[in-house]
Amino acid sequence: MMYHEYKITTMNKNNILILIAVILFASCSDLIDPVDENIRDRSLSYKEANFGYNLLSNAYVKMPANSWSFNDVATDDAVSNDNTNGYLKLATGQWTAYNNAADRWTSCYNAIQYVNIFLSEVQKMTFSEDKQTDKMFKDRMEGEAYGLRAIFYYNLLQAHAGWVNGSLKGVPIILTEQTPASEFNLPRASFNDCVKQIYKDIDSAEVRLPLEYNELTSISGVPAKYVNAGVSDYGKYNRVFGMKFRGLVNGLIVKAIRSEIALMAASPAFATTSSDGSTSTWEDAALYASAVVKYKSATGTLPATSFASGVYWYRNSTEISAITNGSNPPEILWRGGTESTNSLEANNYPPSLFGSGRVNPTQNLVDAFPDKNGYPITASSIYVSTNPYANRDPRLKEFILVHGEKAGVPNTAIDMTTGQDAVNAKETSTRTGYYMRKLLRQDVNYNPTGRNTQTHYKPRIRFTEIYLNFAEAANEAWGPMADPKGLGFTAYSVVKAIRLRAGLTPVATGQGDAYLESIKNDPIAMRQLIRNERRLELCFEGFRFWDLRRWKVSLDELKAPAKGITVSGSLATPVFSSPVTVENRLFQEWMYFGPIPYTETLKWSNLLQNDNWK
């Protein structure tokens, strides 16, 4: 092999040096100045409106109501057949300050940080070159931000408020952006101060937001404050407050949030005789809820009066198919977006329909449904234990899949006597003798050979919830039949409307069911009925876990074992066993109130833990 030696002459050296110099000087700006990077700081939000608004978008996606928690499996309403379920562990003795399936601390405070940054910067942003339109955009977005902050503080109080050495504490109130220079070792504000701050944020939201986002057809609908500021074109108003913004926080939503926080604050767990307890009253809660009721109906009539629209809204294909431009079905006050999916069915269909049967309703819940005349089954003359699902409240078979009822695209009867749908037949079978039916669309086929999806949506607030808020608070404040504020409706009339919509047999045209009529002058019996109606109407939607705690039911009731049954015999002639304990609950006295996260109390000496949590 031959090698050739290459000799660099002086001329060659000079040429190379010149070439290098040319390259270096041609690129000196790249060497001295940094190349633009895709690092976007907040100053860009001042002229890029979408970038600025994304701060609020980040808050929207962090709302706890954006997904089904199914915390019902930690109550007497249901159990889970998933051994890894966080709420199952919570209910069976593994609830601690460092292992908390109900924790909302980090997600809510992260969202509040986004809101606070937005509020500090929004006036520097430009959303329109037209000053009037720009002002309206800023008003609307500030209103959204205040409303969102109220929502997150409400969720923090629900999950983490509690008693500390005889004082009812809320959470630290943070109203400005936290930076590395901020003081992080903050004490918990009192519960009352937290509620006052939520109300203040709601007030700030209300003055900036329309009750609903709709299209105006004349200048007469434009608020006077904008007309006085020179807005003479209703098209400008529609650009900011039109129906394309449905789904965002509006004035009606923040009224509903005020109702929710007021109901919680007036409840026995918070409003006590202690001087350091909540100062909220049932009358406050009733009046705040009534504002939503009156907006929809001057007489307290339900927005959705049919069984299809008001009871099985989740599978009403006609209504769901008609959802366009952010519109809501009659039952829905606020909802998330629509999604074509089959995940709920995959998780909760029985195994014979290729599902995992995760949420198993209890016998406790089944027994809470009255007979068709409205009487509790313990006082019913038509309930028969050997045929337990006959002559019952129609909501029972709508919400719970019982033995022999048809389900799914095959529309075949579910046999719980033998096979894969029977109790404990396999990992995905029921533990209680029941499967959840509510929330599921029966036109979803999860069979691998013909699998499909259907449109679903998740309500954030249903009108029925707010109507039940009113009924509960009004009954506690004034009694079942009284209307001292001239509202035009009472606790009794609202409950009557809900039960008539459910299909319970009225005693006469326009009258309530027989049981309701028998107790309508008894506030104690009405309290139990309203609580039960709330249990039925809102089952599997994440309410009962919190309701049992704010009511501060007896510890025995909180710890009530989850019951189930087995079914033997045949599909046509079943034999139902007596109820048996499926799962014991291991709650302690202090577990009416959730803990502050353990790691947070380790980091900050001023952040005191709720009593007895470790």
Side-chain angles (χ1 to χ4, degrees), residues 8 25 42 75 104-105 118 130 168 201 213 252 256 293-294 310 312-313 338 400 439 462 528 581:
I8 301 178
F25 282 107
R42 69 184 62 191
T75 74
R104 292 176 178 172
W105 191 273
F118 180 82
D130 178 80
L168 182 59
D201 278 345
Y213 296 106
L252 189 61
V293 176
K294 285 179 73 70
Y312 67 76
W313 47 267
T338 58
I400 297 175
L439 308 181
R462 289 172 52 203
Q528 295 307 314
T581 295

Side-chain angles (χ1 to χ4, degrees), residues 267-382:
S267 297
F270 302 97
T272 72
T273 55
S274 168
S275 59
D276 288 319
S278 172
T279 57
S280 297
T281 68
W282 285 117
E283 181 166 285
D284 292 338
L287 291 174
Y288 291 150
S290 75
V292 177
V293 176
K294 285 179 73 70
Y295 178 73
K296 298 305 289 185
S297 169
T299 60
T301 302
L302 293 169
T305 56
S306 73
F307 191 81
S309 292
V311 177
Y312 67 76
W313 47 267
Y314 48 86
R315 68 174 185 89
N316 187 326
S317 57
T318 301
E319 282 188 355
I320 294 172
S321 297
I323 292 176
T324 58
N325 297 323
S327 61
N328 285 326
E331 169 62 12
I332 307 305
L333 191 154
W334 190 25
R335 65 174 177 84
T338 58
E339 182 182 9
S340 185
T341 181
N342 55 25
S343 59
L344 275 173
E345 291 74 23
N347 283 323
N348 294 291
Y349 266 174
S352 63
L353 296 179
F354 303 94
S356 297
R358 290 305 186 201
V359 178
N360 307 154
T362 58
Q363 188 66 44
N364 315 53
L365 177 58
V366 170
D367 289 347
F369 287 86
D371 70 17
K372 67 179 183 179
N373 295 325
Y375 282 93
I377 60 172
T378 54
S380 172
S381 61
I382 58 175

Side-chain angles (χ1 to χ4, degrees), residues 403-404 415 417 568-575:
H403 171 76
D415 186 353
T417 60
S568 57
S570 66
L571 183 63
T573 57
V575 177

Side-chain angles (χ1 to χ4, degrees), residues 17 22 193 202 204 285 306 308 321 359 364 374 408 425 480 489 524:
L17 289 173
V22 169
D193 283 346
I202 288 173
S204 296
S306 73
S321 297
V359 178
N364 315 53
F489 45 88
I524 304 301

Side-chain angles (χ1 to χ4, degrees), residues 164-165 169-170 186-188 596 601 604-610:
V164 182
N165 299 323
K169 296 295 185 182
L186 299 172
R188 296 169 63 182
I596 303 297
T601 60
W604 315 118
S605 60
N606 288 332
L607 189 65
L608 300 181
Q609 181 62 274
N610 288 332

Side-chain angles (χ1 to χ4, degrees), residues 18 117 121 205 213 274 455 499 603:
I18 292 170
I117 294 172
E121 301 293 337
Y213 296 106
S274 168
T455 302
R499 282 164 69 93
K603 288 187 291 186

